[in-house]
Every structure is written in structure tokens, then in C-alpha cells.
Amino acid sequence: MDADAGSESPPAERGDPGLTPEEDARARAEFAALHGPALRASGVPERYWGRLLHKLEHEVFDAGEMFGIMQVQEVEEESEGEEAREARKKQPNPGGELCYKVIVTSENGLQAADPNSIFLIDHAWTCRVERARQQLQQVPGLLHRMANLMGIEFHGELPSTEAEDLVLEEMWRFNQTYQLAHGTAEEKVPVWYIMDEFGSRIQHSDTPSFATAPFFYMPQQVAYTLLWPLRDLDTGEEVTRDFAYGEADPLIRKCMLLPWVPADLLDFSSSTPEPPDEHYQAILEENKEKLPLAISPVAYPCDHVFKVYTDIQQVLSHLTHPRFTFTQSEADADILYNFSHFKDYRKLSQERPSVLLNQFPCENLLTVKDCLASVARRARGPEGPAWLPRTFNLRTELPQFVSYFQQRERRGQDNHWICKPWNLARSLDTHITRSLHSIIRHRESTPKVVSKYIESPVLFLREDVGPVKFDVRYVVLLRSVKPLRLFVYDVFWLRFSNRPFALDDLDDYEKHFTVMNYDPEVVLKQVHYDEFIPEFEKQYPEFPWRSVQPSSSSASWAVLEGMGSTVGTPRWQ
């Protein structure tokens, strides 16, 4: 994101004047080797890297020498539209709102070619969303600071639920995000942060004068935001950045800027038709799978003993049926039960068509949530079947979602939604909200889908807790796609919430989620299926389980049938 400042760049300035030229060159080379890829990806011009290293090593925050924060009073203009006036009323301080701008105060202005024209912005608050309320309650002074930064009136010494709720709603107008590239699945969950009072006062512009980017300085294990100019600026000019940086599509930009710039998408269609052929072709190419040739299933004798090759310890420990035996040779196996992603189905179908495999081609059409939603819709047109909550891919269907949200809002309908990453499990980075701003901003972290949250779910009465949410997990065996042959194991696994359900406390994990088996400090309620069925029928006598279970099986059938129409299309042969 470099820009022509209208003059040639001077020679690169040394990173640390306290070092000899040789030491400085070595330090700069090490810095470039460690952080160069991230800096290039963020578009930080190399002419700034030397001084950036010096500022990082010595924690130099010199933005105050170049910039100042100006407070202005925004008044309601006669020409202001009704929509803008209504949006203003919903803000924490409606009416004549205080607004801040950052301007260049240096007498000589600021030159983009100057190697020193890069600045560190500190972060006032860093958190993962699921811990935000807890931090507001427990970190001394944090709630007061955030309320002041966001323009929320807050009186008293003790945190109040009302003040917490306002901060948690308003923070989506200030939040920025980054994600760690390495670590466990939990450590890779996106981190959200709010810049300090200086950084948070920088306003949006479609033609920004500055760029910003998050930067993680590894030697100190500290994250900053970097600020650098895109052109020369004179004294008094405003410092702005693009809040929708990188997005060129005008409609998508309009949606992304909704937290700051009100917009009406009620007339835009919320229909979500089938993705184009190219969408699925790109998925296939990304997975690098080679599709199999059409083969006829092999019929084995009833007394055949299957040789199993596996690298999964659970299979090795628990597969004890006499019709199965283990082999160390993959070439001799009748069944391959692999943990790793199998890709060359074509070779297997050509050379060993009788071998059974615990995977099937393009299975990510079911295991990745955006694909699952697209495939499930095939059961009943663009809106999907009744059992599928309305779902949108935030990467490709953001305008449709915004329109649908605003339509429901206008009709006074419930607008609770659950936002999920495409490819994570165990409820990681999954959030329930009724905030449109929150959902729009979550799109900036990792690819996500958003589904209508079921506001009146079927509940199970736990004697120790009360009525809670629960889910039923089935094991399904897919034997063939065309013709579709599907087996459902009628022994199912149950999971329960730990707190009585209510449509409040949306960040209370144990009230709204059922995945409790990964945290040793959380109670895991277990009920065997044959104990659950009579208790369920006792609580819901009008719904005998024999009438409930077939609907689950038919939903599985419909999804796999829809998937088969993708896997079997001629373009994929």
C-alpha cells in the first residue's frame, strides 16, 4: 500500500544510532528475516523498517510530536436525512455528539518519504470475545477507560451490567483484529483489540491519508498498530484511514461501513441461490483431490475377515470384532482407516477398487459449514428446508444477510444470530448476538457463516438444573453416493447445556452451548440414549421418539443426496 509522495526517497536511515554500522546492518537483517513477511503482507514500505526497529526496541511513541487530537461538536443539519437522524438517536450520546479528529500539528507537516514517518500505536484493550465481559468486570479501570473512549456516560465506582452491555455493543465500532499463525486451535482463535485514545480517534475516509496495520513484535511478544502516511501532509490536515481497506466492491464496502455509516439495504434481495460451478471447482482444486472412476461395490462373503490398516489409536484399541484383523501393510488391507486427508481416489479406484475407505471424495462439502449450508439448501430451493435455520456465508452473501436482518428488524421479528467459523469445531470462535455491527465486523477475522439462532428450542428438563438445551449426535455411514446408500446408527450421543435456557446472557457459554467435554473445569452431563428416550417421552408425551428419530434420518438423507448431485456432476469427472 505504498504511495508516491512526489519526491525521491532519501537513503534509508539507520535503525539505531547507538550501534556501529556493522551492528546496525546485522540487527536490520535479523529484523527483516523475522518480520519482513508480515510487514510486506501489510504493505509497510521498506524505507520505514530501520526506524521502526529502533522505535520497537526502545518503545518510542512519538506520534504526539507530529499529531494532535481535535474535539469538534457535530450538530444536526437541516439537510440530514431521517435515517441518519434515527441512527444518531441510537448512539450513546445522541444529539450534538462530540467527535474527535486527528490532525497533523508539526509546523513542517509530514513527508511520506521520511524514514521516520512511521509510528507505533499502543493497544488499550486486547481480548478474545468470549472473555470480554469478564475482563470488564475484573480488570481495574478498564470499564471506565472504555466508556470514556467510546463516549459512554458512566457514573459510579462499581461496574454495572448496563455499562458493560453498552461497551460490549459499542466496541464493534472500535475493534480491530489479528490472528496468531501458530499454536493450538484455541490459541488461533482471533484476537480483538482497541487502539489507545490516539489511534481510536482516527476517522474513516474513502480516500485515506494514512494506512494502519496490526504488528506482533516477537522479541517482546507485544502487539502494536503501525501508522504510516500514504502521501505528504501539510500542517492541519486530517489523519484518516480506510475502515474497509482492501475492499473495492461498492456494495460490500457499504455493508462493511454500516457500523459507522448508516445504510438501508431493505430493497436488496435476500435470496441466496446456488453458488456458481466455479465455486465448487475452486474447492476441488484447493483440496487437490483426484476423483474416483465409477466402480461397482464388491460383494464379500459373509464369513470374510477384513484386514484393516489404520494409524488411529482408538481404532487399534477398540476394534475387537472377530471379522476384523489388523495389518501393518497398507497394500494388503481391505479397509483403510486413515486419520490424514486421503486425496488420490482415482488411483485407488483404478488399482484397488475393492478397498473400503473411511473417507469419501469432497467430504468437506459436509464438514465445512459454508459448503454444508449450500448443499443443505438443495433440499428445498434457495431458502432451504424447514429444518435448516436461515444461513448466510458472510464472505459471499453479506449484502443478502444485511437485507434479511433489516427486513426482520422492520417487521419486529426476533433477530438473534449465531456466528460460526467455516472450519473450526468445538464451538471455538462461535458467538450469539443480535448486533448487526458485531456480525459485520466478525467477517474481518476468519471466514464465517451466520445462522438464525433458534430462539425457542426444544428443552430437556434436568432435575439438577432445570430446562436446558441439548443436542443429539448420530453416527452415519455413507456406503455409496450413486445410488445413495446410507446407514444411521440408532445409538446416539447426547450433550447438554449446564444452565437453564433463556434468550439473554448471550455470552454465557454454559447456557447457550452444549459442548462441555473439552474443559476439565466444566461439568459434563452424560445420559445414555436408552435412559434419555423414556425421559424425553415423559416430558413430551405427544412426541414419541419413534416419530422424532425418522425426521433426523430424513434430514441426513436430504443433505447427502444434495452432496451427491455435486460430486456426480459431469464437470467433476
Side-chain angles (χ1 to χ4, degrees):
M1 196 161 52
D2 198 357
D4 184 1
S7 60
E8 294 184 4
S9 300
E13 188 173 321
R14 285 174 54 188
D16 192 335
L19 300 178
T20 66
E22 293 77 14
E23 291 172 332
D24 180 67
R26 190 182 309 114
R28 290 171 59 127
E30 292 174 353
F31 178 74
L34 186 60
H35 293 101
L39 291 170
R40 290 188 186 95
S42 297
V44 180
E46 290 192 31
R47 64 172 172 270
Y48 297 136
W49 291 11
R51 292 302 295 163
L52 173 61
L53 173 59
H54 171 77
K55 293 182 180 185
L56 288 165
E57 286 183 332
H58 299 279
E59 299 183 7
V60 176
F61 296 91
D62 56 347
E65 299 174 9
M66 298 295 297
F67 310 107
I69 299 174
M70 181 173 65
Q71 189 179 59
V72 296
Q73 186 88 12
E74 285 194 354
V75 296
E76 184 175 319
E77 300 178 4
E78 292 183 7
S79 59
E80 188 174 52
E82 182 63 27
E83 181 182 346
R85 282 194 292 270
E86 289 301 315
R88 188 186 298 279
K89 291 177 184 177
K90 295 178 182 179
Q91 294 177 354
N93 294 312
E97 183 186 8
L98 289 176
C99 179
Y100 296 90
K101 293 183 179 181
V102 176
I103 60 171
V104 176
T105 54
S106 170
E107 291 183 359
N108 299 319
L110 183 142
Q111 287 71 48
D114 184 349
N116 199 52
S117 293
I118 188 166
F119 306 92
L120 300 181
I121 299 176
D122 205 359
H123 296 169
W125 184 21
T126 302
C127 71
R128 289 189 167 91
V129 176
E130 62 272 15
R131 302 293 183 192
R133 185 181 296 274
Q134 182 182 25
Q135 290 186 10
L136 288 174
Q137 295 170 341
Q138 297 179 358
V139 177
L142 179 61
L143 181 60
H144 281 80
R145 183 179 183 183
M146 289 299 105
N148 289 334
L149 185 150
M150 298 175 188
I152 297 171
E153 292 187 7
F154 177 45
H155 305 287
E157 296 298 323
L158 297 177
S160 68
T161 301
E162 181 182 3
E164 292 167 8
D165 289 343
L166 281 171
V167 168
L168 292 172
E169 170 65 24
E170 278 296 297
M171 72 179 187
W172 296 107
R173 298 175 66 235
F174 296 86
N175 264 345
Q176 313 300 320
T177 187
Y178 63 86
Q179 185 182 15
L180 299 180
H182 305 287
T184 64
E186 288 82 359
E187 290 168 339
K188 291 180 180 178
V189 169
V191 174
W192 291 87
Y193 65 93
I194 292 178
M195 292 184 284
D196 64 15
E197 284 74 3
F198 166 72
S200 293
R201 304 307 189 203
I202 299 174
Q203 301 300 317
H204 165 75
S205 173
D206 290 331
T207 54
S209 55
F210 278 75
T212 61
F215 178 78
F216 190 79
Y217 186 45
M218 287 187 244
Q220 295 178 3
Q221 294 290 291
V222 177
Y224 300 100
T225 292
L226 307 181
L227 173 74
W228 69 96
L230 299 175
R231 58 175 176 82
D232 293 346
L233 285 91
D234 294 328
T235 305
E237 283 199 76
E238 185 179 1
V239 175
T240 58
R241 63 184 184 89
D242 185 356
F243 288 3
Y245 169 72
E247 182 55 64
D249 186 292
L251 180 59
I252 303 299
R253 285 184 61 86
K254 187 176 183 179
C255 295
M256 291 178 65
L257 291 172
L258 266 170
W260 305 277
V261 184
D264 184 343
L265 271 73
L266 288 166
D267 294 333
F268 189 84
S269 173
S270 61
S271 178
T272 48
E274 175 80 9
D277 293 352
E278 293 78 14
H279 175 78
Y280 297 110
Q281 188 66 37
I283 293 172
L284 180 65
E285 292 172 359
E286 182 180 354
N287 289 340
K288 296 180 171 59
E289 290 184 359
K290 297 180 180 179
L291 296 178
L293 300 175
I295 59 173
S296 299
V298 176
Y300 288 94
C302 293
D303 59 350
H304 180 77
V305 176
F306 291 88
K307 295 179 181 179
V308 180
Y309 176 86
T310 183
D311 56 356
I312 302 176
Q313 187 58 47
Q314 286 178 308
V315 176
L316 291 168
S317 300
H318 299 289
L319 183 57
T320 58
H321 194 281
R323 287 197 60 190
F324 300 94
T325 184
F326 293 109
T327 178
Q328 298 295 319
S329 171
E330 184 175 353
D332 293 339
D334 302 310
I335 298 175
L336 301 179
Y337 211 102
N338 294 341
F339 177 80
S340 57
H341 184 184
F342 189 87
K343 296 185 178 182
D344 198 347
Y345 293 94
R346 181 171 292 270
K347 181 179 179 181
L348 187 67
S349 68
Q350 289 173 324
E351 299 180 0
R352 304 172 65 193
S354 62
V355 171
L356 301 175
L357 183 67
N358 69 319
Q359 301 174 34
F360 54 86
C362 306
E363 65 178 28
N364 61 340
L365 291 177
L366 299 184
T367 60
V368 180
K369 297 179 184 70
D370 66 311
C371 296
L372 174 61
S374 297
V375 169
R377 287 177 195 150
R378 294 176 178 173
R380 191 173 294 175
E383 309 306 316
W387 46 261
L388 177 70
R390 191 68 193 275
T391 301
F392 297 86
N393 182 335
L394 290 180
R395 277 287 173 90
T396 60
E397 298 166 345
L398 179 62
Q400 291 92 327
F401 165 69
V402 171
S403 174
Y404 190 70
F405 185 100
Q406 292 182 340
Q407 289 171 26
R408 292 184 65 89
E409 186 175 52
R410 183 175 63 176
R411 293 192 294 262
Q413 294 176 301
D414 179 82
N415 242 347
H416 287 81
W417 294 80
I418 183 165
C419 196
K420 308 176 182 181
W422 286 359
N423 55 357
L424 285 180
R426 297 160 39 189
S427 302
L428 293 172
D429 194 25
T430 300
H431 311 284
I432 299 162
T433 182
R434 57 176 177 269
S435 166
L436 179 59
H437 295 174
S438 168
I439 296 169
I440 290 172
R441 297 302 309 284
H442 270 297
R443 181 181 183 271
E444 298 174 28
S445 57
T446 57
K448 285 184 170 64
V449 299
V450 61
S451 298
K452 180 65 185 69
Y453 188 53
I454 300 174
E455 69 270 19
S456 56
V458 176
L459 304 177
F460 184 80
L461 180 61
R462 281 179 53 175
E463 292 184 358
D464 57 333
V465 174
V468 299
K469 291 180 62 175
F470 70 98
D471 69 37
V472 182
R473 172 163 291 193
Y474 284 95
V475 176
V476 177
L477 188 147
L478 177 65
R479 184 65 180 88
S480 169
V481 174
K482 285 190 174 182
L484 182 58
R485 294 182 65 203
L486 185 67
F487 299 85
V488 179
Y489 189 35
D490 58 7
V491 176
F492 49 84
W493 182 34
L494 295 145
R495 301 184 299 187
F496 300 89
S497 297
N498 286 337
R499 297 193 179 116
F501 174 79
L503 207 57
D504 56 16
D505 302 329
L506 302 180
D507 48 6
D508 186 340
Y509 183 89
E510 294 188 62
K511 175 181 287 190
H512 293 279
F513 293 88
T514 58
V515 182
M516 304 295 168
N517 49 309
Y518 295 98
D519 187 343
E521 298 181 3
V522 173
V523 173
L524 175 61
K525 174 70 173 178
Q526 292 184 299
V527 177
H528 201 263
Y529 84 103
D530 58 0
E531 298 172 351
F532 168 82
I533 291 174
E535 186 59 34
F536 178 87
E537 293 180 334
K538 179 181 175 182
Q539 296 182 23
Y540 297 96
E542 68 276 26
F543 295 105
W545 193 253
R546 65 178 181 274
S547 69
V548 174
Q549 183 158 296
S551 63
S552 300
S553 300
S554 64
S556 300
W557 180 278
V559 170
L560 288 161
E561 195 171 41
M563 187 205 71
S565 67
T566 298
V567 175
T569 48
R571 65 181 182 276
W572 281 31
Q573 296 303 322

